[in-house]
Amino acid sequence: MSLESEAATTGGAVLPGTLPEGLRTELVAFRRDLHMHPELGNQEFRTTAAIKARLERAGLRPRVLAIGTGLICDIGEPDPAHPMLALRADIDALPIPDMKVDCAYRSTVPDRAHACGHDVHTTVVLGAGLVLAELHKKGLLRRAVRLIFQPAEEVLPGGAPDAIESGALDGVGRIVAVHCDPRVDAGRIGLRHGPITSACDRLEVALDGAGGHTARPHLTTDLVTAAARVVTDVPALVARRVDARSGLAVTWGRIESGHACNVIPQHAELSGTVRCLDLDSWRAAPDLVHAAIDEIANLYKAKSEINYIRGVPPVVNDPMTTELLREAMATRFGAQSVEDTEQSLGGEDFSWYLERVPGAMARLGVRTPGERGVRDLHQGDFDADEHAITVGVELFTASALLDAAQ
C-alpha cells in the first residue's frame, strides 16, 4: 500500500504522507522494545543506537550529539534560504518501577520505566522521519526537515541546551513536538496559543541553629518550628508578592529534621519546587523566594542556606506554529480531532528551543476512548493507546508538508 494511496484529502488536494500498515506494525514493535528497555537521562546509549540503526537502514545519515546520546538527522538537504521545520522527541525514561501487570512489554529494568510517554514521542518522530524520507525520494518533500532525538528531558535543566549546543537548531526556522496526555482520547490532540506548560525550578533549603532540650526551647533556635513556618509561610508570602495570575507556587516535597522527641535539633532540610505560569514571574522568582525564606528564618534566629536550582521556563506556543499543527491535524483527521487544552503546571525543557526559534507543542491523546479513570504521567502503571503513534506520525508529516507549502 503506497503512501499516496493512503493519502488524506483536503479541499480537493491530495496530501501524501499517511502511515502504511506495515510501517505502523513495525513502529508499535519499536515502541514496545523501547518500553522494555528504559534508560535514564544521558544514559540512553541503547536507545540512541536503535534509532540510529533504523534511520541508517532508510538511507539517512544521523549524527549522534557531542554528549554521546541523542541524535540529529536531516531529511533532504538544508537550504539556508528556506529554514527547516524540526520535529523533536525526548528519549529518556524515569527512575520509577513499572507497576503494570499482565503486560508483555513492561519494563525489564528494575526501577526504570517509560512512565511519561517518551517512548511514544521517540517512535512518532522516527516514524515521521521514515515516511518523510520516502516522500523525499519521490520528490514530494519540498523542504528539508530535521529530526531531533533529545536526551535527558527529565534532568534539570534538561537535555535541550546540550542539543542546541550540538547544532540542533542550526538552519531551523520553527520546531514542533508532542507530549502524551492521558486525559485526551487517542485520535485527538490538544492545542493552546501561548503558555502550555509552566516554569519549574528546584529549591533546597538548609536551616541551622543552636539545639537543645525540649524543656528549654527559649534557650535554643527552635529549629523544627522554624522549618514548619518556612513550609507554611513562604508559599503564602511569595504568592502575595506577585500578580496572582502568574500562578507562582512554592510546593514542598521533603522536610527532615531531628532524631528524638525530646531534643531540639541543630539542623533541618527542606526541598521542593517553584512553578509559575508566566516568563516574567519565573525571572523574578529566585529573588522573591530567597527574601521570603530569609525573613521567616530570621524570625527564629535560624541560619538559612538556600540552593535555588534553575529548571526550565514555560513552553510558550507560537500562534502561527500552533495553527500549523491545527491545520495538519484537521487535514488528517478532521477539525473535530483538535480540542483546546489548559496550561499545565508541569515543566518541559522544549521551552529552551522556543527561546531561540518559534514553535509549538501539542498534547497527544493516549487514553483509549471509553476507558475509565486516568493512567497518569509519572506513575508506575502509565501506558498509552498505541493508535497515538499513527496520529503523531501523520500529524508531523502533514505539518512538514504544509510548512513547505507555506
Side-chain angles (χ1 to χ4, degrees):
M1 189 178 298
S2 71
L3 298 173
E4 289 78 9
S5 66
E6 287 276 307
T9 61
T10 175
V14 175
L15 189 66
T18 54
L19 184 62
E21 180 60 27
L23 182 54
R24 186 200 70 81
T25 301
E26 179 191 346
L27 291 175
V28 168
F30 188 90
R31 179 258 167 170
R32 293 184 177 188
D33 179 72
L34 294 185
H35 200 85
M36 293 173 67
H37 301 93
E39 297 174 300
L40 299 185
N42 296 318
Q43 301 173 23
E44 311 95 333
F45 298 104
R46 182 186 186 278
T47 303
T48 298
I51 300 165
K52 182 174 182 287
R54 185 61 184 92
L55 292 171
E56 289 176 339
R57 277 174 50 202
L60 299 170
R61 294 176 294 178
R63 311 185 303 278
V64 176
L65 301 184
I67 58 174
T69 63
L71 63 156
I72 301 167
C73 185
D74 293 341
I75 315 295
E77 291 299 323
D79 178 357
H82 299 95
M84 290 178 284
L85 175 71
L87 315 178
R88 174 268 198 174
D90 37 12
I91 66 175
D92 58 324
L94 285 162
I96 64 175
D98 190 333
M99 304 299 291
K100 293 190 293 295
V101 295
D102 299 325
C103 177
Y105 52 87
R106 70 192 302 267
S107 173
T108 61
V109 184
D111 299 321
R112 303 287 186 268
H114 269 296
C116 203
H118 293 187
D119 54 335
V120 175
H121 306 166
T122 299
T123 304
V124 163
V125 173
L126 174 64
L130 296 175
V131 173
L132 291 170
E134 288 298 310
L135 294 180
H136 175 65
K137 290 176 185 177
K138 298 173 186 289
L140 298 173
L141 184 64
R142 296 167 52 186
R143 185 176 299 179
V145 175
R146 174 163 294 161
L147 315 179
I148 300 172
F149 297 92
Q150 176 218 298
E153 191 277 330
E154 299 288 354
V155 182
L156 290 179
D162 287 325
I164 294 169
E165 182 68 23
S166 290
L169 292 181
D170 295 351
V172 168
R174 67 169 85 180
I175 186 169
V176 294
V178 293
H179 197 294
C180 289
D181 191 334
R183 291 171 172 76
V184 177
D185 283 350
R188 301 172 64 84
I189 64 168
L191 288 175
R192 176 186 174 88
H193 287 192
I196 192 170
T197 70
S198 78
C200 180
D201 299 334
R202 191 163 77 236
L203 179 62
E204 298 172 350
V205 181
L207 299 176
D208 291 281
H213 201 296
T214 56
R216 293 176 287 277
H218 59 291
L219 300 180
T220 73
T221 299
D222 192 353
L223 211 58
V224 171
T225 299
R229 291 298 297 270
V230 168
V231 167
T232 58
D233 291 356
V234 166
L237 274 176
V238 170
R240 289 295 181 268
R241 293 175 179 177
V242 294
D243 189 323
R245 291 170 294 184
S246 72
L248 182 58
V250 178
T251 306
W252 302 104
R254 184 181 74 93
I255 179 171
E256 184 175 344
S257 186
H259 300 283
C261 66
N262 61 346
V263 177
I264 294 174
Q266 297 178 343
H267 182 74
E269 294 181 357
L270 306 86
S271 58
T273 60
V274 181
R275 300 177 187 269
C276 57
L277 302 177
D278 72 83
L279 201 53
D280 289 340
S281 296
W282 179 69
R283 289 169 175 152
D287 290 342
L288 291 171
V289 171
H290 270 81
I293 292 171
D294 286 341
E295 285 180 34
I296 302 302
N298 288 339
L299 286 175
Y300 291 87
K301 299 181 180 178
K303 179 184 177 183
S304 61
E305 183 177 334
I306 303 165
N307 185 19
Y308 193 106
I309 303 162
R310 268 306 199 191
V312 293
V315 171
V316 182
N317 279 353
D318 166 61
M320 289 184 63
T321 311
T322 304
E323 289 308 304
L324 173 70
L325 291 172
R326 186 185 303 277
E327 182 181 357
M329 189 67 179
T331 297
R332 296 297 194 200
F333 301 101
Q336 77 287 345
S337 64
V338 182
E339 61 184 59
D340 293 333
T341 192
E342 298 177 347
Q343 183 177 2
S344 164
L345 278 172
E348 233 291 348
D349 79 344
F350 184 65
S351 55
W352 292 121
Y353 299 105
L354 304 190
E355 296 277 294
R356 306 290 189 94
V357 298
M361 171 174 280
R363 302 285 186 196
L364 179 67
V366 296
R367 180 178 61 192
T368 300
E371 183 179 24
R372 293 185 177 182
V374 173
R375 295 188 182 190
D376 207 0
L377 302 172
H378 287 223
Q379 299 297 314
D381 65 346
F382 173 79
D383 204 357
D385 186 316
E386 289 169 327
H387 177 56
I389 295 172
T390 298
V391 174
V393 169
E394 297 193 3
L395 169 67
F396 279 163
T397 58
S399 297
L401 294 167
L402 291 171
D403 179 66
Q406 291 175 5

